[in-house]
Amino acid sequence: MIRRSASYAVLVAGLVPLLLPFYWMAVTSLKPKREIFTATPQWLPAHPAWDNYLLAWTAEPFARFFFNSAVVTALIVALQLVLASLAAFALSRFEFHGRRIIFWIIVAALIVPVQVTFIANFMTLAHFGLLNTYAALIAPYAASAFGTFLLRQAFAAVPRQLEDAARLDGCSGLAFLWHVLLPLSRPTVLAFALVAIVAHWNDYFWPLIVTNNNAVRTLPIGLGMFIGQEVTTDWNLLMAASIFVSAPMLLLFFFMQRYFVQSMLRTGIRG
Amino acid sequence: MMPPRVMAAARPYLYLTPTLAVLAAFTYFPIARLAEMSLRAPSVGTSLGPWIGLSAYAKLFANPLFWRVLGQTILFVFASVPIAMALALGLALLLDQPLRGLSVFRVLYYTPVVMPTVAVAALALWMFNANGGIVDYFLRSLGIAPVPWLVESKWALPTLILIAVWKNVGYYMIIYLAGLQSLPRAVLDAARLDGARPIMRFFTITLPLLRPTTFFITVVALIGSFQVFDFVNLMTQGGPSNATNVLVYFAYQNGFEYLQLGMAAAISLIMFALVLGILGLVAGALNR
């Protein structure tokens, strides 16, 4: 009994440093300018300024950035799913020369982050005149070592007999991948897709390297520029912008949290 | 038209080609390219410049700032990773109990992980701000003098460490929880029936059984922490006076601010070698 209350007490205490920042972000985003700097913190805005969100939204071409983020994230995740499915299909259901080596070549890519390769990749893309294009934002991420690994594990768990039965029914090759392997691996596919969406929606580093033009900039870059400009006074607008940049991922997380947490529990992959 | 047998044999290679092509172009080729760039004097645009041997490395090793940046990166990694992992393990132990409502905590503690680093940076800049920041207000109300969080050299890096811990702890917690939930219940129950005290049980049974999980988290956390860049670029630009400059930021600065692309390539390669070396050591120590 005492242990139980103690556990709850510690967990609740831990929520204070964890959730207070979120609360402070939300409250600040609704404050009129004169309520931002007060001698004692004002825990609720006296006169909620809802138009802060409109002001922040129009302070930079955020609509454009939002569109770019959506397109880039969607294309990256779609490409990753297609390429990873094909590669995982080959690695899990075929016997061929070099299978082990190819598997390790793919997995080893996990220890080479873009934070190491960015200068070389920047040079390559500049060489082909691809800076400031969607292609530059997407191409390096078109394949996912991690997705390939996860899907391979899921596909390998599908029993051999099922494959034989499917073949007797005339379902083989890519039809087997599409009609049997992928539906049976739905939890893994979904978990990987969610994690990839969050990772690429939030990505700040790579878009910073290959874009310097509002036509292709993504939301994190737009918010980063906003930080650079507003950092002295307009915290309310900056917090409002931070909220609408984060909101899609927070909503996705809260509605899909079962899949996020389950996928973490199963695989420990990054969100 | 190829005969069907050859077609069938070629199929797995065909399916693997797109993935291998992307990894070759954007992961493996760049490592060779970095090596080449670090030995030449490349300029922005298309020219790779003349071969200049090891002079970029010589210059780098002779630059005291490089050693300082290297030290600060290692400090950041070896402070933030153990702190976050210890907190994560503590939380995971609390959450791995048959108690009501724990799934709510699990979700809440995970929330910072899905936040964009840019939004976290914006929020932290406001909370730790010297002018009106709420963190200083709490300190004052506890009778503690305000801390020059991001303004003073000795405080800036610890502040970034604190923020990184806040962002990552939920992620490690979930993996630890997964590890805990996969432990053999029979062993833990037997120890409890034998009357082993909770602390004894933790150190002699739970922790050793968790070693694969600890290994996995350590690897992921080390790789992730060496990449630290976003908070530095958004919050301190490496300052004050380089106190928060770290390897990725230093490479970025050299490449894109000073246009020293060869130098930047050398820094990236050194960091890669360092990460590989440390991973090797960790694997040796933890994965026997």
PDB file of all heavy atoms in Angstrom, chain A residues 7-8 11 17 28 41 97 105 109 113 119 202 204 257 264 268 270, chain B residues 13 28 97 100 107 109 114 126 137 166 168 171 174 227 233 264:
ATOM      1  N   SER A   7       4.917   5.076  -5.344  1.00  0.00           N
ATOM      2  CA  SER A   7       5.130   5.019  -6.796  1.00  0.00           C
ATOM      3  C   SER A   7       4.341   6.106  -7.499  1.00  0.00           C
ATOM      4  O   SER A   7       4.882   6.827  -8.342  1.00  0.00           O
ATOM      5  CB  SER A   7       4.692   3.661  -7.346  1.00  0.00           C
ATOM      6  OG  SER A   7       5.489   2.636  -6.815  1.00  0.00           O
ATOM      7  N   TYR A   8       3.055   6.217  -7.137  1.00  0.00           N
ATOM      8  CA  TYR A   8       2.242   7.256  -7.777  1.00  0.00           C
ATOM      9  C   TYR A   8       2.816   8.639  -7.488  1.00  0.00           C
ATOM     10  O   TYR A   8       2.878   9.492  -8.369  1.00  0.00           O
ATOM     11  CB  TYR A   8       0.794   7.183  -7.288  1.00  0.00           C
ATOM     12  CG  TYR A   8      -0.013   6.083  -7.929  1.00  0.00           C
ATOM     13  CD1 TYR A   8      -0.637   5.114  -7.163  1.00  0.00           C
ATOM     14  CD2 TYR A   8      -0.156   6.037  -9.313  1.00  0.00           C
ATOM     15  CE1 TYR A   8      -1.380   4.108  -7.748  1.00  0.00           C
ATOM     16  CE2 TYR A   8      -0.903   5.030  -9.915  1.00  0.00           C
ATOM     17  CZ  TYR A   8      -1.513   4.063  -9.122  1.00  0.00           C
ATOM     18  OH  TYR A   8      -2.245   3.076  -9.705  1.00  0.00           O
ATOM     19  N   LEU A  11       5.787   9.318  -9.661  1.00  0.00           N
ATOM     20  CA  LEU A  11       5.396   9.489 -11.071  1.00  0.00           C
ATOM     21  C   LEU A  11       4.701  10.831 -11.297  1.00  0.00           C
ATOM     22  O   LEU A  11       4.937  11.498 -12.305  1.00  0.00           O
ATOM     23  CB  LEU A  11       4.471   8.344 -11.498  1.00  0.00           C
ATOM     24  CG  LEU A  11       5.169   6.998 -11.718  1.00  0.00           C
ATOM     25  CD1 LEU A  11       4.161   5.876 -11.857  1.00  0.00           C
ATOM     26  CD2 LEU A  11       6.062   7.053 -12.945  1.00  0.00           C
ATOM     27  N   PRO A  17       8.098  18.723 -14.055  1.00  0.00           N
ATOM     28  CA  PRO A  17       9.062  19.243 -15.027  1.00  0.00           C
ATOM     29  C   PRO A  17       8.749  18.816 -16.454  1.00  0.00           C
ATOM     30  O   PRO A  17       9.174  19.448 -17.415  1.00  0.00           O
ATOM     31  CB  PRO A  17      10.400  18.649 -14.567  1.00  0.00           C
ATOM     32  CG  PRO A  17      10.048  17.505 -13.698  1.00  0.00           C
ATOM     33  CD  PRO A  17       8.735  17.835 -13.069  1.00  0.00           C
ATOM     34  N   THR A  28       1.585  31.026 -22.771  1.00  0.00           N
ATOM     35  CA  THR A  28       2.290  32.160 -23.374  1.00  0.00           C
ATOM     36  C   THR A  28       1.734  32.465 -24.754  1.00  0.00           C
ATOM     37  O   THR A  28       1.618  33.633 -25.147  1.00  0.00           O
ATOM     38  CB  THR A  28       3.800  31.851 -23.465  1.00  0.00           C
ATOM     39  OG1 THR A  28       4.281  31.507 -22.174  1.00  0.00           O
ATOM     40  CG2 THR A  28       4.574  33.065 -23.975  1.00  0.00           C
ATOM     41  N   PRO A  41       4.759  35.147 -12.474  1.00  0.00           N
ATOM     42  CA  PRO A  41       4.195  34.531 -13.672  1.00  0.00           C
ATOM     43  C   PRO A  41       2.672  34.576 -13.642  1.00  0.00           C
ATOM     44  O   PRO A  41       2.050  34.340 -12.617  1.00  0.00           O
ATOM     45  CB  PRO A  41       4.690  33.080 -13.594  1.00  0.00           C
ATOM     46  CG  PRO A  41       5.758  33.062 -12.589  1.00  0.00           C
ATOM     47  CD  PRO A  41       5.547  34.211 -11.674  1.00  0.00           C
ATOM     48  N   HIS A  97      22.749 -15.834 -53.582  1.00  0.00           N
ATOM     49  CA  HIS A  97      24.143 -15.534 -53.276  1.00  0.00           C
ATOM     50  C   HIS A  97      24.284 -14.158 -52.654  1.00  0.00           C
ATOM     51  O   HIS A  97      23.715 -13.197 -53.149  1.00  0.00           O
ATOM     52  CB  HIS A  97      24.976 -15.566 -54.566  1.00  0.00           C
ATOM     53  CG  HIS A  97      25.749 -16.829 -54.711  1.00  0.00           C
ATOM     54  ND1 HIS A  97      26.614 -17.269 -53.750  1.00  0.00           N
ATOM     55  CD2 HIS A  97      25.780 -17.737 -55.696  1.00  0.00           C
ATOM     56  CE1 HIS A  97      27.140 -18.408 -54.127  1.00  0.00           C
ATOM     57  NE2 HIS A  97      26.638 -18.735 -55.316  1.00  0.00           N
ATOM     58  N   ILE A 105      25.224  -5.107 -45.116  1.00  0.00           N
ATOM     59  CA  ILE A 105      25.509  -3.805 -45.740  1.00  0.00           C
ATOM     60  C   ILE A 105      24.366  -2.839 -45.442  1.00  0.00           C
ATOM     61  O   ILE A 105      24.578  -1.666 -45.132  1.00  0.00           O
ATOM     62  CB  ILE A 105      25.698  -3.973 -47.270  1.00  0.00           C
ATOM     63  CG1 ILE A 105      27.026  -4.659 -47.553  1.00  0.00           C
ATOM     64  CG2 ILE A 105      25.628  -2.621 -47.976  1.00  0.00           C
ATOM     65  CD1 ILE A 105      27.249  -4.969 -49.028  1.00  0.00           C
ATOM     66  N   ALA A 109      24.287   0.616 -42.411  1.00  0.00           N
ATOM     67  CA  ALA A 109      23.975   2.011 -42.736  1.00  0.00           C
ATOM     68  C   ALA A 109      23.370   2.738 -41.539  1.00  0.00           C
ATOM     69  O   ALA A 109      23.402   3.971 -41.478  1.00  0.00           O
ATOM     70  CB  ALA A 109      23.020   2.068 -43.925  1.00  0.00           C
ATOM     71  N   PRO A 113      25.023   8.336 -39.712  1.00  0.00           N
ATOM     72  CA  PRO A 113      23.957   9.332 -39.744  1.00  0.00           C
ATOM     73  C   PRO A 113      24.234  10.430 -40.769  1.00  0.00           C
ATOM     74  O   PRO A 113      25.379  10.624 -41.184  1.00  0.00           O
ATOM     75  CB  PRO A 113      23.975   9.909 -38.327  1.00  0.00           C
ATOM     76  CG  PRO A 113      25.367   9.722 -37.873  1.00  0.00           C
ATOM     77  CD  PRO A 113      25.867   8.473 -38.527  1.00  0.00           C
ATOM     78  N   ILE A 119      28.134  16.934 -45.641  1.00  0.00           N
ATOM     79  CA  ILE A 119      28.947  17.798 -46.508  1.00  0.00           C
ATOM     80  C   ILE A 119      29.130  17.155 -47.876  1.00  0.00           C
ATOM     81  O   ILE A 119      28.996  17.814 -48.911  1.00  0.00           O
ATOM     82  CB  ILE A 119      30.292  18.104 -45.839  1.00  0.00           C
ATOM     83  CG1 ILE A 119      30.034  18.969 -44.594  1.00  0.00           C
ATOM     84  CG2 ILE A 119      31.210  18.858 -46.781  1.00  0.00           C
ATOM     85  CD1 ILE A 119      31.090  18.883 -43.570  1.00  0.00           C
ATOM     86  N   ASN A 202       9.677  16.374 -38.262  1.00  0.00           N
ATOM     87  CA  ASN A 202      10.450  17.154 -37.287  1.00  0.00           C
ATOM     88  C   ASN A 202      11.858  17.479 -37.756  1.00  0.00           C
ATOM     89  O   ASN A 202      12.549  18.280 -37.121  1.00  0.00           O
ATOM     90  CB  ASN A 202      10.550  16.384 -35.959  1.00  0.00           C
ATOM     91  CG  ASN A 202       9.219  16.313 -35.246  1.00  0.00           C
ATOM     92  OD1 ASN A 202       8.281  17.029 -35.585  1.00  0.00           O
ATOM     93  ND2 ASN A 202       9.133  15.451 -34.235  1.00  0.00           N
ATOM     94  N   TYR A 204      15.112  18.891 -38.809  1.00  0.00           N
ATOM     95  CA  TYR A 204      15.596  20.259 -38.965  1.00  0.00           C
ATOM     96  C   TYR A 204      16.914  20.286 -39.718  1.00  0.00           C
ATOM     97  O   TYR A 204      17.175  21.172 -40.524  1.00  0.00           O
ATOM     98  CB  TYR A 204      15.767  20.884 -37.580  1.00  0.00           C
ATOM     99  CG  TYR A 204      16.421  22.248 -37.566  1.00  0.00           C
ATOM    100  CD1 TYR A 204      15.736  23.372 -38.015  1.00  0.00           C
ATOM    101  CD2 TYR A 204      17.717  22.411 -37.097  1.00  0.00           C
ATOM    102  CE1 TYR A 204      16.328  24.617 -37.998  1.00  0.00           C
ATOM    103  CE2 TYR A 204      18.315  23.655 -37.076  1.00  0.00           C
ATOM    104  CZ  TYR A 204      17.612  24.755 -37.530  1.00  0.00           C
ATOM    105  OH  TYR A 204      18.214  25.987 -37.511  1.00  0.00           O
ATOM    106  N   GLN A 257      -1.388   6.607 -30.048  1.00  0.00           N
ATOM    107  CA  GLN A 257      -0.364   6.295 -29.049  1.00  0.00           C
ATOM    108  C   GLN A 257      -0.248   4.799 -28.768  1.00  0.00           C
ATOM    109  O   GLN A 257       0.825   4.302 -28.472  1.00  0.00           O
ATOM    110  CB  GLN A 257      -0.582   7.088 -27.763  1.00  0.00           C
ATOM    111  CG  GLN A 257      -1.973   7.087 -27.202  1.00  0.00           C
ATOM    112  CD  GLN A 257      -2.174   6.025 -26.164  1.00  0.00           C
ATOM    113  OE1 GLN A 257      -1.265   5.262 -25.850  1.00  0.00           O
ATOM    114  NE2 GLN A 257      -3.373   5.947 -25.637  1.00  0.00           N
ATOM    115  N   MET A 264       7.199   0.692 -29.887  1.00  0.00           N
ATOM    116  CA  MET A 264       8.399   0.865 -29.066  1.00  0.00           C
ATOM    117  C   MET A 264       8.630  -0.381 -28.235  1.00  0.00           C
ATOM    118  O   MET A 264       9.733  -0.871 -28.100  1.00  0.00           O
ATOM    119  CB  MET A 264       8.243   2.033 -28.093  1.00  0.00           C
ATOM    120  CG  MET A 264       8.015   3.359 -28.720  1.00  0.00           C
ATOM    121  SD  MET A 264       9.317   3.803 -29.835  1.00  0.00           S
ATOM    122  CE  MET A 264       8.317   4.422 -31.141  1.00  0.00           C
ATOM    123  N   GLY A 268      11.599  -0.925 -30.038  1.00  0.00           N
ATOM    124  CA  GLY A 268      12.465   0.129 -29.542  1.00  0.00           C
ATOM    125  C   GLY A 268      12.903   1.106 -30.606  1.00  0.00           C
ATOM    126  O   GLY A 268      14.048   1.542 -30.616  1.00  0.00           O
ATOM    127  N   ARG A 270      12.760   4.660 -32.914  1.00  0.00           N
ATOM    128  CA  ARG A 270      12.757   6.064 -32.534  1.00  0.00           C
ATOM    129  C   ARG A 270      11.560   6.829 -33.071  1.00  0.00           C
ATOM    130  O   ARG A 270      11.192   6.666 -34.211  1.00  0.00           O
ATOM    131  CB  ARG A 270      14.046   6.697 -33.065  1.00  0.00           C
ATOM    132  CG  ARG A 270      14.060   8.197 -32.978  1.00  0.00           C
ATOM    133  CD  ARG A 270      15.337   8.663 -32.388  1.00  0.00           C
ATOM    134  NE  ARG A 270      15.046   9.483 -31.238  1.00  0.00           N
ATOM    135  CZ  ARG A 270      15.984   9.908 -30.400  1.00  0.00           C
ATOM    136  NH1 ARG A 270      17.209   9.533 -30.550  1.00  0.00           N
ATOM    137  NH2 ARG A 270      15.677  10.679 -29.402  1.00  0.00           N
TER     138      ARG A 270
ATOM    139  N   TYR B  13      17.657  -9.791 -56.410  1.00  0.00           N
ATOM    140  CA  TYR B  13      18.591  -8.684 -56.640  1.00  0.00           C
ATOM    141  C   TYR B  13      17.851  -7.461 -57.165  1.00  0.00           C
ATOM    142  O   TYR B  13      18.145  -6.328 -56.799  1.00  0.00           O
ATOM    143  CB  TYR B  13      19.685  -9.108 -57.630  1.00  0.00           C
ATOM    144  CG  TYR B  13      20.506 -10.263 -57.134  1.00  0.00           C
ATOM    145  CD1 TYR B  13      20.346 -11.533 -57.657  1.00  0.00           C
ATOM    146  CD2 TYR B  13      21.421 -10.079 -56.100  1.00  0.00           C
ATOM    147  CE1 TYR B  13      21.080 -12.598 -57.189  1.00  0.00           C
ATOM    148  CE2 TYR B  13      22.165 -11.134 -55.616  1.00  0.00           C
ATOM    149  CZ  TYR B  13      21.996 -12.406 -56.168  1.00  0.00           C
ATOM    150  OH  TYR B  13      22.724 -13.450 -55.684  1.00  0.00           O
ATOM    151  N   TYR B  28      27.112   5.332 -48.303  1.00  0.00           N
ATOM    152  CA  TYR B  28      28.461   4.755 -48.394  1.00  0.00           C
ATOM    153  C   TYR B  28      29.393   5.577 -49.269  1.00  0.00           C
ATOM    154  O   TYR B  28      30.519   5.879 -48.865  1.00  0.00           O
ATOM    155  CB  TYR B  28      28.364   3.305 -48.864  1.00  0.00           C
ATOM    156  CG  TYR B  28      27.786   2.431 -47.774  1.00  0.00           C
ATOM    157  CD1 TYR B  28      26.562   1.816 -47.906  1.00  0.00           C
ATOM    158  CD2 TYR B  28      28.475   2.277 -46.576  1.00  0.00           C
ATOM    159  CE1 TYR B  28      26.023   1.047 -46.891  1.00  0.00           C
ATOM    160  CE2 TYR B  28      27.951   1.523 -45.550  1.00  0.00           C
ATOM    161  CZ  TYR B  28      26.727   0.906 -45.713  1.00  0.00           C
ATOM    162  OH  TYR B  28      26.214   0.169 -44.691  1.00  0.00           O
ATOM    163  N   GLN B  97       4.822  -2.027 -12.898  1.00  0.00           N
ATOM    164  CA  GLN B  97       4.161  -2.598 -11.726  1.00  0.00           C
ATOM    165  C   GLN B  97       2.699  -2.814 -12.082  1.00  0.00           C
ATOM    166  O   GLN B  97       2.153  -2.099 -12.916  1.00  0.00           O
ATOM    167  CB  GLN B  97       4.237  -1.623 -10.541  1.00  0.00           C
ATOM    168  CG  GLN B  97       5.643  -1.332 -10.081  1.00  0.00           C
ATOM    169  CD  GLN B  97       5.641  -0.400  -8.884  1.00  0.00           C
ATOM    170  OE1 GLN B  97       5.458  -0.809  -7.750  1.00  0.00           O
ATOM    171  NE2 GLN B  97       5.818   0.878  -9.151  1.00  0.00           N
ATOM    172  N   ARG B 100      -2.893   0.499 -11.379  1.00  0.00           N
ATOM    173  CA  ARG B 100      -3.901   1.113 -12.227  1.00  0.00           C
ATOM    174  C   ARG B 100      -3.405   2.448 -12.805  1.00  0.00           C
ATOM    175  O   ARG B 100      -2.716   3.205 -12.139  1.00  0.00           O
ATOM    176  CB  ARG B 100      -5.123   1.382 -11.356  1.00  0.00           C
ATOM    177  CG  ARG B 100      -6.429   1.424 -12.052  1.00  0.00           C
ATOM    178  CD  ARG B 100      -7.480   1.783 -11.020  1.00  0.00           C
ATOM    179  NE  ARG B 100      -8.073   0.594 -10.413  1.00  0.00           N
ATOM    180  CZ  ARG B 100      -9.137  -0.024 -10.935  1.00  0.00           C
ATOM    181  NH1 ARG B 100      -9.682   0.424 -12.026  1.00  0.00           N
ATOM    182  NH2 ARG B 100      -9.651  -1.081 -10.332  1.00  0.00           N
ATOM    183  N   VAL B 107       2.287   7.282 -21.623  1.00  0.00           N
ATOM    184  CA  VAL B 107       2.037   8.167 -22.768  1.00  0.00           C
ATOM    185  C   VAL B 107       2.600   9.563 -22.494  1.00  0.00           C
ATOM    186  O   VAL B 107       3.296  10.148 -23.327  1.00  0.00           O
ATOM    187  CB  VAL B 107       0.527   8.244 -23.079  1.00  0.00           C
ATOM    188  CG1 VAL B 107       0.258   9.309 -24.117  1.00  0.00           C
ATOM    189  CG2 VAL B 107       0.040   6.891 -23.556  1.00  0.00           C
ATOM    190  N   TYR B 109       4.933  10.612 -20.391  1.00  0.00           N
ATOM    191  CA  TYR B 109       6.393  10.695 -20.348  1.00  0.00           C
ATOM    192  C   TYR B 109       7.014  10.567 -21.735  1.00  0.00           C
ATOM    193  O   TYR B 109       8.154  10.947 -21.949  1.00  0.00           O
ATOM    194  CB  TYR B 109       6.972   9.618 -19.416  1.00  0.00           C
ATOM    195  CG  TYR B 109       6.931  10.008 -17.960  1.00  0.00           C
ATOM    196  CD1 TYR B 109       6.110   9.350 -17.062  1.00  0.00           C
ATOM    197  CD2 TYR B 109       7.726  11.044 -17.494  1.00  0.00           C
ATOM    198  CE1 TYR B 109       6.056   9.714 -15.735  1.00  0.00           C
ATOM    199  CE2 TYR B 109       7.681  11.422 -16.168  1.00  0.00           C
ATOM    200  CZ  TYR B 109       6.849  10.752 -15.289  1.00  0.00           C
ATOM    201  OH  TYR B 109       6.807  11.125 -13.984  1.00  0.00           O
ATOM    202  N   VAL B 114       8.118  13.047 -29.335  1.00  0.00           N
ATOM    203  CA  VAL B 114       7.535  13.332 -30.645  1.00  0.00           C
ATOM    204  C   VAL B 114       7.549  14.833 -30.976  1.00  0.00           C
ATOM    205  O   VAL B 114       7.118  15.225 -32.053  1.00  0.00           O
ATOM    206  CB  VAL B 114       6.094  12.793 -30.796  1.00  0.00           C
ATOM    207  CG1 VAL B 114       6.066  11.287 -30.627  1.00  0.00           C
ATOM    208  CG2 VAL B 114       5.141  13.462 -29.836  1.00  0.00           C
ATOM    209  N   TRP B 126      12.717  30.479 -24.203  1.00  0.00           N
ATOM    210  CA  TRP B 126      11.806  31.327 -23.437  1.00  0.00           C
ATOM    211  C   TRP B 126      11.882  30.995 -21.941  1.00  0.00           C
ATOM    212  O   TRP B 126      12.023  31.861 -21.097  1.00  0.00           O
ATOM    213  CB  TRP B 126      10.400  31.160 -23.987  1.00  0.00           C
ATOM    214  CG  TRP B 126       9.254  31.771 -23.222  1.00  0.00           C
ATOM    215  CD1 TRP B 126       8.021  31.226 -23.080  1.00  0.00           C
ATOM    216  CD2 TRP B 126       9.190  33.037 -22.547  1.00  0.00           C
ATOM    217  NE1 TRP B 126       7.214  32.053 -22.358  1.00  0.00           N
ATOM    218  CE2 TRP B 126       7.906  33.174 -22.002  1.00  0.00           C
ATOM    219  CE3 TRP B 126      10.116  34.062 -22.314  1.00  0.00           C
ATOM    220  CZ2 TRP B 126       7.493  34.288 -21.258  1.00  0.00           C
ATOM    221  CZ3 TRP B 126       9.716  35.170 -21.566  1.00  0.00           C
ATOM    222  CH2 TRP B 126       8.408  35.280 -21.058  1.00  0.00           C
ATOM    223  N   TYR B 137      12.417  32.496 -12.231  1.00  0.00           N
ATOM    224  CA  TYR B 137      11.391  32.861 -11.253  1.00  0.00           C
ATOM    225  C   TYR B 137      11.274  31.782 -10.170  1.00  0.00           C
ATOM    226  O   TYR B 137      11.217  32.090  -8.972  1.00  0.00           O
ATOM    227  CB  TYR B 137      10.042  33.066 -11.941  1.00  0.00           C
ATOM    228  CG  TYR B 137       8.908  33.123 -10.947  1.00  0.00           C
ATOM    229  CD1 TYR B 137       8.653  34.296 -10.229  1.00  0.00           C
ATOM    230  CD2 TYR B 137       8.128  31.995 -10.681  1.00  0.00           C
ATOM    231  CE1 TYR B 137       7.648  34.344  -9.298  1.00  0.00           C
ATOM    232  CE2 TYR B 137       7.116  32.036  -9.743  1.00  0.00           C
ATOM    233  CZ  TYR B 137       6.871  33.209  -9.045  1.00  0.00           C
ATOM    234  OH  TYR B 137       5.876  33.254  -8.106  1.00  0.00           O
ATOM    235  N   TRP B 166      15.659  15.990 -21.046  1.00  0.00           N
ATOM    236  CA  TRP B 166      14.192  16.159 -21.021  1.00  0.00           C
ATOM    237  C   TRP B 166      13.556  15.579 -22.281  1.00  0.00           C
ATOM    238  O   TRP B 166      12.535  14.909 -22.232  1.00  0.00           O
ATOM    239  CB  TRP B 166      13.871  17.652 -20.907  1.00  0.00           C
ATOM    240  CG  TRP B 166      12.407  17.984 -20.811  1.00  0.00           C
ATOM    241  CD1 TRP B 166      11.658  17.979 -19.674  1.00  0.00           C
ATOM    242  CD2 TRP B 166      11.531  18.367 -21.880  1.00  0.00           C
ATOM    243  NE1 TRP B 166      10.352  18.341 -19.976  1.00  0.00           N
ATOM    244  CE2 TRP B 166      10.250  18.581 -21.321  1.00  0.00           C
ATOM    245  CE3 TRP B 166      11.696  18.551 -23.244  1.00  0.00           C
ATOM    246  CZ2 TRP B 166       9.149  18.969 -22.077  1.00  0.00           C
ATOM    247  CZ3 TRP B 166      10.600  18.936 -24.007  1.00  0.00           C
ATOM    248  CH2 TRP B 166       9.347  19.144 -23.418  1.00  0.00           C
ATOM    249  N   ASN B 168      14.808  13.231 -24.355  1.00  0.00           N
ATOM    250  CA  ASN B 168      15.068  11.833 -24.699  1.00  0.00           C
ATOM    251  C   ASN B 168      14.654  10.813 -23.649  1.00  0.00           C
ATOM    252  O   ASN B 168      14.573   9.630 -23.948  1.00  0.00           O
ATOM    253  CB  ASN B 168      16.564  11.632 -24.972  1.00  0.00           C
ATOM    254  CG  ASN B 168      16.982  12.328 -26.242  1.00  0.00           C
ATOM    255  OD1 ASN B 168      16.211  12.437 -27.196  1.00  0.00           O
ATOM    256  ND2 ASN B 168      18.200  12.843 -26.257  1.00  0.00           N
ATOM    257  N   TYR B 171      11.984   8.199 -24.394  1.00  0.00           N
ATOM    258  CA  TYR B 171      12.327   7.197 -25.397  1.00  0.00           C
ATOM    259  C   TYR B 171      13.071   6.017 -24.767  1.00  0.00           C
ATOM    260  O   TYR B 171      12.712   4.852 -24.953  1.00  0.00           O
ATOM    261  CB  TYR B 171      13.170   7.866 -26.483  1.00  0.00           C
ATOM    262  CG  TYR B 171      13.703   6.925 -27.523  1.00  0.00           C
ATOM    263  CD1 TYR B 171      12.841   6.084 -28.225  1.00  0.00           C
ATOM    264  CD2 TYR B 171      15.062   6.872 -27.811  1.00  0.00           C
ATOM    265  CE1 TYR B 171      13.334   5.217 -29.182  1.00  0.00           C
ATOM    266  CE2 TYR B 171      15.553   6.016 -28.766  1.00  0.00           C
ATOM    267  CZ  TYR B 171      14.693   5.185 -29.450  1.00  0.00           C
ATOM    268  OH  TYR B 171      15.175   4.325 -30.382  1.00  0.00           O
ATOM    269  N   ILE B 174      10.747   3.880 -22.527  1.00  0.00           N
ATOM    270  CA  ILE B 174       9.886   2.896 -23.195  1.00  0.00           C
ATOM    271  C   ILE B 174      10.681   1.633 -23.546  1.00  0.00           C
ATOM    272  O   ILE B 174      10.199   0.511 -23.388  1.00  0.00           O
ATOM    273  CB  ILE B 174       9.257   3.520 -24.468  1.00  0.00           C
ATOM    274  CG1 ILE B 174       8.156   4.495 -24.080  1.00  0.00           C
ATOM    275  CG2 ILE B 174       8.709   2.457 -25.385  1.00  0.00           C
ATOM    276  CD1 ILE B 174       6.868   3.826 -23.660  1.00  0.00           C
ATOM    277  N   GLN B 227      25.324  13.284 -32.542  1.00  0.00           N
ATOM    278  CA  GLN B 227      24.780  14.092 -33.631  1.00  0.00           C
ATOM    279  C   GLN B 227      24.252  15.439 -33.168  1.00  0.00           C
ATOM    280  O   GLN B 227      23.717  16.190 -33.978  1.00  0.00           O
ATOM    281  CB  GLN B 227      23.608  13.360 -34.293  1.00  0.00           C
ATOM    282  CG  GLN B 227      23.959  12.064 -34.945  1.00  0.00           C
ATOM    283  CD  GLN B 227      22.711  11.270 -35.279  1.00  0.00           C
ATOM    284  OE1 GLN B 227      21.613  11.800 -35.291  1.00  0.00           O
ATOM    285  NE2 GLN B 227      22.892   9.995 -35.553  1.00  0.00           N
ATOM    286  N   ASN B 233      22.545  24.988 -32.748  1.00  0.00           N
ATOM    287  CA  ASN B 233      22.351  25.965 -33.818  1.00  0.00           C
ATOM    288  C   ASN B 233      21.220  26.932 -33.485  1.00  0.00           C
ATOM    289  O   ASN B 233      21.290  28.114 -33.788  1.00  0.00           O
ATOM    290  CB  ASN B 233      22.055  25.232 -35.133  1.00  0.00           C
ATOM    291  CG  ASN B 233      22.033  26.179 -36.314  1.00  0.00           C
ATOM    292  OD1 ASN B 233      22.929  26.997 -36.478  1.00  0.00           O
ATOM    293  ND2 ASN B 233      21.005  26.093 -37.119  1.00  0.00           N
ATOM    294  N   ALA B 264      35.850  20.769 -43.027  1.00  0.00           N
ATOM    295  CA  ALA B 264      34.572  20.233 -42.556  1.00  0.00           C
ATOM    296  C   ALA B 264      34.512  18.721 -42.773  1.00  0.00           C
ATOM    297  O   ALA B 264      34.071  17.969 -41.890  1.00  0.00           O
ATOM    298  CB  ALA B 264      33.411  20.919 -43.285  1.00  0.00           C
TER     299      ALA B 264
END
